[in-house]
Amino acid sequence: MAEAYVPRNAARSEFVRLRGLRHHLNVWGDAAMAVPQRPVLLLLHGWMDVGASFQFTVDALAQPRFVVAPDWRGFGLSDSTHGDCYWFADYLGDLDALLDQLSPSLPVDLAGHSMGGNIVMNYAGVRTQRVRRLVNLEGFSLPHTRAEQTPKRLCQWLDELKQPQALRDYASLDEVAARLMKTNPRLAADKAAWLAAQWSRRGSDGRWHVLGDAAHKRVNPVLTRAEDIIAMWSRIRAPLLWVEGDAREFERAYGERYTREQFEQRLAAVPSVQRLRLPAAGHMLHHDQPEALAQALERFLDSG
């Protein structure tokens, strides 16, 4: 196994109760550092990831600031719902409750990756007054679904409710790290070794289990409508920094279900957008190019 990455600015683990569930927070700095011109920065992870995933980017920040990266419900060390599936609106509710605790009066800076990017975009379009700056890291939203797809989707959901869900487990941290590198070939071995210990825990059976609720694998019975997304994104008042890697993985991920033209139509609804394409980076750009991402974040967040 490769020597694990050593954080330069290790996070503290804290726990808060949000809407009845215990949520885990990765915290850098403290609330005394938050001022109107540099409020708390929330870093929000994607599907099947954890808040610790942003450690490399935080380490690369030139200036210290108050940064919080929570684990979403059902991921990392946060409680799961112990239910049948997860509802997207609950993530907005959890974020709103977290801001009530972290920054009840000051607008915050929000940055989200992938699923987290989708969440912060919708939140910023609903709670317009609570967001000062907004960063979306490859959160392309979801393909539009049509009304005639509803019966099939609900039927699939009902069928999946009858089937136990499970995530693969691993014999060692080496295997977990290898899995992470297989998913992202750009991930350096030392970073994979460090992430493996954040992404999984050893169970009573001696095997390493991913810190994610298997219920996340079930199809979501709530369909996505493009007009709803555009309605929310058009209300965003915070300046937006849109960041993507240069690997152009969009088409491979969505195929014909969702075109780049359809995404651009949604992004065009946002009143103020700056764009950045990071070289030598794929979807996990906060792993692939944390230094370049950190520099871009600081330029954007600290601009007038």
Side-chain angles (χ1 to χ4, degrees), residues 46 51 134 164 170 188 190 266 280 288:
L134 181 64
Y170 301 86
D190 66 327
R266 299 183 193 186
D288 301 342

Side-chain angles (χ1 to χ4, degrees), residues 242-262:
W242 163 256
V243 188
E244 61 184 303
D246 69 350
R248 304 180 185 276
E249 297 176 351
F250 179 91
E251 291 77 8
R252 184 165 63 254
Y254 292 104
E256 296 181 356
R257 296 180 301 121
Y258 186 28
T259 67
R260 183 75 192 209
E261 182 181 4
Q262 290 168 333

Side-chain angles (χ1 to χ4, degrees), residues 27-53:
V27 182
W28 298 267
D30 58 68
M33 303 169 69
V35 295
Q37 299 77 23
R38 185 177 282 189
V40 57
L41 168 62
L42 277 89
L43 300 174
L44 301 161
H45 70 80
W47 191 78
M48 285 298 163
D49 202 357
V50 293
S53 186

Side-chain angles (χ1 to χ4, degrees), residues 95-130:
L95 177 55
D96 202 48
L98 179 58
L99 295 193
D100 286 344
Q101 294 196 30
L102 290 179
S103 188
S105 57
L106 284 180
V108 303
D109 292 339
L110 290 183
H113 171 250
S114 195
M115 182 188 82
N118 298 339
I119 294 168
V120 300
M121 293 289 283
N122 290 0
Y123 185 81
V126 175
R127 294 292 204 197
T128 58
Q129 76 282 5
R130 302 204 74 172

